[in-house]
Amino acid sequence: MHLLEMIIRTFLFLIGLVLKPLLKIIFNVIYGGSNSEKVSKIRQPLCLHSATRLAKMIRNKEVKAVDVMQAYIDRAKEINPIVNAIIAERYNEALKEAQKVDDILDRKEGQGKYSAVNAPFLGVPFSVKEAFGVKGMPHASGLVIRKNVIAEEDAEVVKRLKEAGAIPFIITNVSELCMWYESANRLYGRTKNAYNTGRIVGGSSGGEGCVISAGASIMGIGSDIGGSIRMPAFFNGIFGHRPSKELSDSCKTSFLKYLNEFITGLVPNEGQYPIADGTDADLLSTGPMCRYSEDLLPLLKVYAGAKSSEANLDQQVDVRKLKFYYMEDDGGSMLVSNVDQELKDAQIKAVEYLKNNLGVCVEKVNIHQLKFSVQIWSAKMLAGGGTSFCEYMADKKGKVNAFKEFAKWIVGQSNHTIPAIGLGMAENFNGMSDQQTQMFMQMGDKLDEEFQSILGNDGVFLYPSHPKIAPYHNEPIFYPFNFAYTGIFNALGYPVTQVPLGLSKDGLPLGMQVVSTMNNDRLTIAVACELERYKGWTEPDSSL
Ligand SMILES: *[C@@H]1O[C@H](CO)[C@@H](O)[C@H](O)[C@H]1NC(C)=O
Ligand SMILES: CC(=O)N[C@H]1CO[C@H](CO)[C@@H](O)[C@@H]1O
């Protein structure tokens, strides 16, 4: 260890010794105890089936699509005053569209016409993160100056899900411009965790995580550039999958600026705001969030469309034949919190389950570059231009002066959140020299090689989804780099599924990531399905 590193570590350790317990006390006073509540138990039986099962029941006319929609609307209305996750609804239109599905199925020409292949989600409601366009619905991405922006068309994945028969019914909250892991903004306020309203839902797809966990939506659309699907899926105890995203050459150590349309990926990103358009575009991927693991693969197939075959999504997976590896933490990054002991214990128990039930070997590995996850992610994210965050803050009409905005914020006169202002200010400093950027990019390439040699095309890697169980509101400001546990896999382009693992002793969700190499999405999903047999989503229940 370098002397400098040792000094910094000692310093941080001493600060941590004093500051951390103090912060814990302060946050507990503000957001803990009697100020927090839970949403009530789900009273609508239709809200307790998977999307796949609901679609089958609707197709077979065992239930009416309109009754399913009504159940979800009732539940959404019940929980939203407590969690503030839904920022717009289209209940009347959705009910009419559900009625149309029932009518078609009642008519002779509709009978036998629909199957799990041509309409896998016929009549099933879905929610969408506000960053995605849904025709006629708000599309502000939590930015005050975009408050009147209405989407003129559907984002590509919304289109695909509609073509699969599903019906959008609610739009959910995000962090300002989707660049923070707490979903709060000056336009729609703060979203609260259904398991404990003093806690965050994560971000940026935080509204999605919340409504799905609370039984107010069965499936949704998220996007993930540093963990925006997996962090909220983790904090809310549901499944979330970040699909494979092949890195272009320019994200592998050269610095070419290029256009978004040249970028490949299993699932298209088109139709979201903001859309990454520099090297950061390589890190962004769109994917499914859901409560039941059996919906992951059919959803991913719909989102990926014709590209499903590229990733062999139809190929059967025998989980007993996979190689399993795990790490309990990143090896001790100075910038990231230590992993909570309860999360480590949950991971070890899941490892034991896999060993005992599949008879597989689960080997502990030590991949030392993971310690530099923040730096590797940052190097890849910032290397290649594109629209700056301050330009996005001004809705691309000029540029926000983040320092001026900070001064306004201090006197309560800013339309921006402090994480967005902080990110805007940070953008003005060149955090890394070109040389350092190059060095961490190369380290990323090495990490990729190492993972490929360990995992090959038949291995999965188990890793914490986040170092901390759902923090209190505003607490993430003190831990800005904790997204590194998810972000590192964006920098590698790998597919990852966040898997819920029951609840902590305080009744908050536990979970972990299942990671594989490029286009092996089906492996991480197959392991997620296996782990659900051990522990999956657990209902929030205020009577406990
Ligand atoms: C914030 O937004 C509101 C509504 O768009 C606007 O009237 C107000 O002037 C803005 N405030 C600042 C400080 O920019
Ligand atoms: C707490 C809060 O600000 N809630 C808002 C969420 O968004 C809806 C729709 O814009 C508003 O009506 C709420 O006031």
Side-chain angles (χ1 to χ4, degrees):
M1 212 190 303
H2 291 297
L3 181 65
L4 181 67
E5 189 182 334
M6 245 164 77
I7 294 169
I8 296 176
R9 262 177 193 283
T10 314
F11 182 68
L12 288 177
F13 175 75
L14 290 175
I15 291 185
L17 220 55
V18 183
L19 200 61
K20 275 187 197 153
L22 194 65
L23 282 176
K24 211 170 169 181
I25 293 167
I26 295 171
F27 278 109
N28 192 23
V29 168
I30 305 176
Y31 297 114
S34 57
N35 298 328
S36 63
E37 48 180 327
K38 255 183 234 193
V39 303
S40 61
K41 211 168 159 58
I42 299 170
R43 289 179 293 119
Q44 297 77 2
L46 285 176
C47 295
L48 289 165
H49 296 295
S50 72
T52 308
R53 169 122 182 82
L54 279 176
K56 193 171 173 196
M57 285 161 70
I58 292 170
R59 273 198 307 274
N60 295 342
K61 303 216 292 174
E62 290 163 40
V63 293
K64 294 211 168 298
V66 82
D67 291 337
V68 172
M69 187 60 77
Q70 191 62 55
Y72 271 101
I73 292 171
D74 291 346
R75 180 64 178 168
K77 285 182 176 170
E78 199 174 292
I79 63 137
N80 201 47
I82 302 167
V83 293
N84 190 47
I86 301 167
I87 62 94
E89 43 88 0
R90 53 190 301 283
Y91 297 148
N92 289 334
E93 295 92 325
L95 282 169
K96 277 187 208 140
E97 289 159 23
Q99 186 60 56
K100 243 186 239 164
V101 169
D102 290 330
D103 290 346
I104 291 171
L105 289 170
D106 278 341
R107 268 185 256 133
K108 212 168 177 192
E109 65 266 29
Q111 282 162 19
K113 192 174 158 194
Y114 300 101
S115 69
V117 175
N118 67 13
F121 295 108
L122 186 65
V124 179
F126 72 99
S127 50
V128 187
K129 170 186 190 178
E130 204 223 3
F132 287 88
V134 176
K135 194 175 174 185
M137 302 305 284
H139 187 30
S141 216
L143 194 66
V144 172
I145 43 168
R146 279 176 68 88
K147 77 170 178 212
N148 297 320
V149 176
I150 299 293
E152 283 166 17
E153 55 184 333
D154 290 330
E156 186 58 33
V157 272
V158 173
K159 225 180 271 171
R160 291 182 183 185
L161 207 41
K162 279 186 176 176
E163 280 162 13
I167 303 169
F169 78 121
I170 48 175
I171 308 294
T172 62
N173 204 13
V174 293
S175 48
E176 185 175 357
L177 286 169
C178 296
M179 282 307 280
W180 187 240
Y181 72 93
E182 158 142 42
S183 290
N185 56 63
R186 303 299 295 251
L187 192 50
Y188 306 121
R190 184 184 305 286
T191 301
K192 299 168 182 173
N193 196 303
Y195 294 83
N196 182 327
T197 53
R199 307 294 180 129
I200 67 167
V201 291
S204 58
S205 318
E208 284 299 294
C210 178
V211 291
I212 295 170
S213 75
S217 171
I218 183 62
M219 59 191 190
I221 299 175
S223 51
D224 188 317
I225 198 166
S228 282
I229 288 174
R230 290 160 289 157
M231 287 188 286
F234 164 71
F235 294 134
N236 298 286
I238 61 166
F239 293 90
H241 181 75
R242 187 210 110 91
S244 292
K245 179 81 192 242
E246 196 89 50
L247 301 190
S248 57
D249 286 340
S250 48
C251 204
K252 288 193 162 181
T253 56
S254 92
F255 291 87
L256 277 178
K257 198 174 162 181
Y258 52 88
L259 292 170
N260 211 47
E261 59 222 57
F262 295 132
I263 294 161
T264 56
L266 197 53
V267 178
N269 285 324
E270 278 74 19
Q272 57 186 302
Y273 188 96
I275 185 144
D277 53 7
T279 46
D280 52 351
D282 268 0
L283 279 65
L284 180 65
S285 109
T286 297
M289 298 172 74
C290 55
R291 224 178 309 139
Y292 302 100
S293 67
E294 74 167 337
D295 294 335
L296 283 167
L297 197 64
L299 279 171
L300 183 59
K301 278 197 218 168
V302 168
Y303 293 2
K307 286 210 169 179
S308 294
S309 58
E310 232 169 71
N312 299 316
L313 293 183
D314 282 319
Q315 203 172 302
Q316 284 290 321
V317 177
D318 183 352
V319 281
R320 284 161 209 275
K321 296 212 170 106
L322 299 181
K323 298 180 291 181
F324 289 84
Y325 302 90
Y326 75 101
M327 266 171 81
E328 287 177 50
D329 59 34
D330 64 4
S333 164
M334 282 195 282
L335 302 169
V336 181
S337 299
N338 294 333
V339 177
D340 285 344
Q341 190 56 45
E342 244 187 311
L343 284 170
K344 288 189 179 182
D345 294 345
Q347 188 185 8
I348 293 297
K349 279 189 201 147
V351 163
E352 290 304 317
Y353 169 84
L354 291 170
K355 283 185 189 165
N356 296 334
N357 283 273
L358 299 178
V360 294
C361 208
V362 188
E363 192 186 326
K364 190 167 181 169
V365 285
N366 184 9
I367 302 172
H368 85 277
Q369 292 99 333
L370 284 173
K371 198 168 141 178
F372 301 97
S373 295
V374 175
Q375 292 89 333
I376 295 169
W377 181 87
S378 305
K380 297 219 173 188
M381 189 70 184
L382 303 175
T387 309
S388 75
F389 190 69
C390 290
E391 286 170 315
Y392 274 124
M393 284 172 85
D395 197 20
K396 301 213 261 185
K397 298 175 188 90
K399 210 171 169 176
V400 160
N401 181 331
F403 297 94
K404 227 160 135 185
E405 216 47 56
F406 182 58
K408 276 158 78 180
W409 182 85
I410 290 173
V411 290
Q413 291 297 312
S414 176
N415 277 334
H416 299 283
T417 54
I418 194 64
I421 294 169
L423 191 62
M425 290 197 291
E427 194 174 67
N428 286 279
F429 298 105
N430 212 344
M432 272 189 216
S433 65
D434 284 355
Q435 216 177 354
Q436 280 173 317
T437 306
Q438 193 72 15
M439 183 181 95
F440 286 118
M441 284 253 219
Q442 277 163 4
M443 194 185 275
D445 295 347
K446 279 254 163 61
L447 179 59
D448 180 29
E449 280 165 28
E450 186 156 352
F451 265 124
Q452 288 195 43
S453 77
I454 294 173
L455 301 178
N457 280 316
D458 59 351
V460 293
F461 176 64
L462 313 175
Y463 195 56
S465 293
H466 195 81
K468 288 165 79 75
I469 295 169
Y472 293 111
H473 297 296
N474 288 317
E475 213 183 344
I477 294 166
F478 294 92
Y479 310 101
F481 298 115
N482 278 0
F483 72 90
Y485 274 84
T486 42
I488 189 60
F489 303 110
N490 298 72
L492 296 168
Y494 291 176
V496 189
T497 309
Q498 130 69 32
V499 178
L501 293 174
L503 303 183
S504 73
K505 60 181 186 324
D506 290 333
L508 293 165
L510 302 167
M512 71 174 172
Q513 299 183 92
V514 182
V515 182
S516 193
T517 48
M518 194 62 66
N519 286 336
N520 286 317
D521 300 61
R522 66 187 186 287
L523 306 188
T524 67
I525 290 175
V527 173
C529 292
E530 179 61 39
L531 283 167
E532 191 185 46
R533 276 177 254 247
Y534 162 59
K535 259 177 194 164
W537 165 75
T538 310
E539 180 175 355
D541 178 358
S542 58
S543 65
L544 291 178

